[in-house]
Amino acid sequence: MIDSEILIACSMLLGSFIFFLVLGLPVAIAIMVSSIFTLIFSMSVGDILYSGSQKMFTGINNFGLLAAPFFILSGNLMNKGGIARRLVNLAMLLGGRIPGSLAHANVISNMLFGSVCGSSVAAASAVGGFMGPLQKEKNYDPYFSAAVNIASAPTGLLIPPTGLFIVFSLMTGTSVATLFVAGYVPGILMGLGVMFYAWIYAKKHNYPVEDKVPLKQALRIVFDAIPSLLMIVVVIGGIIVGIFTATEGGVISVFYGLILSLCYGTIKPKDLPAIMIESAIISGMILFLIAASSFMSWAMTWLSIPDTVSELLLSVSENPIIILLIMNLLLVIVGTFMDISPALLIFTPIFFPITQSIGMDPIHFGVMLVFNLCIGNITPPVGSALFVGCSIANVPMEKVIKPLLPIFAIEFILLLVVTYIPEISLFLPHLFGMS
């Protein structure tokens, strides 16, 4: 029997959190204030502040978290270092002979650049800003073009290196290297899903195929892109083989991105202070959000909320298929109203014990969770990739929703495929002997 007091506490925590978000409080502050408001009925203010501050410090007192700021700095260096244009040229070469070639090039560019910079917003901005005018020249529908750019931007959050897997690893004790390897196939699958829709749309509207690129020019495009792609090979390969940790890989990616950008001449030494300050601000925001989420996780544990949610779900059904479907539906709804980072931090400690009780592989759960929340990254009202993509394309959001809906349906179907076929996520880890 579920304790009614726990249900009330759960409702208070969720209700107050949504209320403070509606008031316009920053997410981290809303998390902390709602946690204090809920706990105040079961312990003294002094105990809340004393224990809560300890939990916040403990939440970020982890060597592994150093990887996140380094990868953020690396992503900023690559974003401002002229990397996007070279990867877009490679993507146009790869997708140029398919109907609607510029749309396919957009998707491939987001997959390549997103994996390098680790940010859906940066990918939507950099790639969309470059591809948008080209597609406009070829008379592509601007709303379709924006929808393709927006829907494919989050693929880089699955294709490593990605900070989301680093945070999930620290919260659950899973291997970062294994998560990185597991994200490749689902990330590519998400990109192929968008390309499938783009191909159908292009065939229906008779979109052109780009001219064949001469061999000499094609070789030059590939040669220009190789240094950028090598960063992924060096960093991910080194982590997988065990030459260095994820944190050390972050340092190497910063060094590699800096040298590459300076060699290209797109970043000058005078630009570095601004890039480092921007990276420090973003890192500080993320670390503060992690600290605040550690506070809320402690509050939820104190109030037995994870156990209660687990009991509620298991009372509905003990069938893993039904439980995972309910979890996915809840996460899709959550992703619609909450940004991906706080959603990951808040719901991982709630759902992780449930997946363990039904025998789900933790790596598989991590990939499913990130895949699900990536879909929320493209949905209103808080989809950051959606806002940036519409802004870059200079189109109203309401006009982009219509072409986004079929892509959303395809990605949700792919989410269910990833959820119910574990080998999609676990094939590569098993292949490399990483269980």
Side-chain angles (χ1 to χ4, degrees):
M1 188 70 180
I2 298 174
D3 194 330
S4 59
E5 292 184 3
I6 299 177
L7 287 177
I8 293 172
C10 185
S11 302
M12 286 177 60
L13 183 63
L14 180 60
S16 59
F17 175 62
I18 294 173
F19 174 74
F20 291 128
L21 284 181
V22 172
L23 285 182
L25 266 67
V27 175
I29 302 299
I31 288 173
M32 293 175 60
V33 175
S34 59
S35 300
I36 294 171
F37 175 74
T38 308
L39 285 170
I40 205 168
F41 294 96
S42 59
M43 65 171 65
S44 68
V45 175
D47 289 340
I48 294 172
L49 297 179
Y50 177 75
S51 300
S53 59
Q54 283 188 325
K55 296 299 178 182
M56 291 179 68
F57 176 77
T58 304
I60 58 174
N61 185 27
N62 192 308
F63 179 78
L65 265 181
L66 282 175
F70 284 124
F71 279 118
I72 289 169
L73 177 55
S74 170
N76 276 341
L77 287 169
M78 301 291 268
N79 187 25
K80 293 175 170 56
I83 310 300
R85 186 181 186 91
R86 289 169 173 81
L87 293 178
V88 167
N89 289 337
L90 176 63
M92 291 178 67
L93 176 65
L94 295 174
R97 304 301 296 166
I98 309 173
S101 52
L102 292 180
H104 297 294
N106 195 325
V107 177
I108 297 170
S109 299
N110 275 332
M111 294 168 70
L112 293 173
F113 184 67
S115 65
V116 170
C117 72
S119 168
S120 61
V121 171
S125 176
V127 176
F130 185 81
M131 294 297 305
L134 294 178
Q135 294 181 53
K136 189 176 181 180
E137 286 179 11
K138 299 290 185 179
N139 296 318
Y140 279 59
D141 181 88
Y143 310 123
F144 161 75
S145 299
V148 168
N149 181 46
I150 291 163
S152 59
T155 53
L157 299 177
L158 279 164
I159 302 173
T162 168
L164 296 175
F165 283 146
I166 295 171
V167 174
F168 179 85
S169 167
L170 294 172
M171 296 181 71
T172 58
T174 48
S175 165
V176 176
T178 308
L179 284 166
F180 278 178
V181 174
Y184 273 108
V185 175
I188 294 171
L189 198 61
M190 177 182 281
L192 290 176
V194 182
M195 291 178 70
F196 174 71
Y197 170 74
W199 177 75
I200 293 175
Y201 190 95
K203 292 282 285 185
K204 181 179 178 181
H205 293 83
N206 297 315
Y207 279 4
V209 175
E210 293 298 299
D211 296 332
K212 190 173 182 180
V213 178
L215 179 60
K216 186 177 180 179
Q217 184 181 348
L219 291 174
R220 187 171 67 250
I221 291 172
V222 173
F223 181 77
D224 286 344
I226 284 176
S228 304
L229 296 175
L230 272 178
M231 191 203 85
I232 303 174
V233 176
V234 171
V235 173
I236 303 302
I239 293 173
I240 292 172
V241 175
I243 298 174
F244 42 74
T245 65
T247 302
E248 293 163 346
V251 176
I252 291 170
S253 70
V254 170
F255 181 76
Y256 189 98
L258 177 61
I259 297 298
L260 195 60
S261 299
L262 290 174
C263 289
Y264 284 153
T266 48
I267 288 181
K268 306 296 182 185
K270 65 179 182 180
D271 300 325
L272 294 178
I275 293 174
M276 295 185 72
I277 290 172
E278 181 185 347
S279 301
I281 291 172
I282 296 173
S283 299
M285 291 168 57
I286 292 175
L287 291 174
F288 183 54
L289 182 58
I290 293 173
S293 298
S294 299
F295 189 173
M296 177 175 272
S297 296
W298 166 69
M300 289 190 297
T301 302
W302 175 268
L303 298 168
S304 300
I305 289 175
D307 292 336
T308 303
V309 173
S310 176
E311 192 174 341
L312 276 171
L313 275 178
L314 293 174
S315 68
V316 173
S317 174
E318 293 185 359
N319 187 333
I321 296 176
I322 302 299
I323 292 173
L324 291 175
L325 179 61
I326 294 172
M327 286 172 57
N328 272 317
L329 291 174
L330 288 173
L331 287 169
V332 165
I333 295 170
V334 166
T336 304
F337 296 98
M338 190 180 297
D339 198 28
I340 188 167
S341 295
L344 178 74
L345 291 163
I346 291 171
F347 287 92
T348 295
I350 293 177
F351 288 141
F352 185 68
I354 300 173
T355 60
Q356 293 296 282
S357 68
I358 62 175
M360 186 178 192
D361 189 289
I363 301 296
H364 179 206
F365 170 63
V367 173
M368 182 199 83
L369 180 63
V370 172
F371 195 114
N372 191 308
L373 296 177
C374 281
I375 296 176
N377 208 228
I378 68 173
T379 56
V382 295
S384 53
L386 175 64
F387 284 116
V388 172
C390 290
S391 176
I392 291 297
N394 195 26
V395 294
M397 185 189 301
E398 58 272 16
K399 296 288 187 178
V400 179
I401 300 301
K402 184 177 179 180
L404 259 180
L405 286 176
I407 304 179
F408 180 87
I410 291 172
E411 290 190 348
F412 185 76
I413 292 171
L414 291 175
L415 168 65
L416 296 181
V417 171
V418 169
T419 299
Y420 294 120
I421 306 178
E423 280 305 309
I424 291 177
S425 303
L426 302 178
F427 167 72
L428 286 180
H430 290 163
L431 184 65
F432 287 106
M434 307 164 71
S435 60

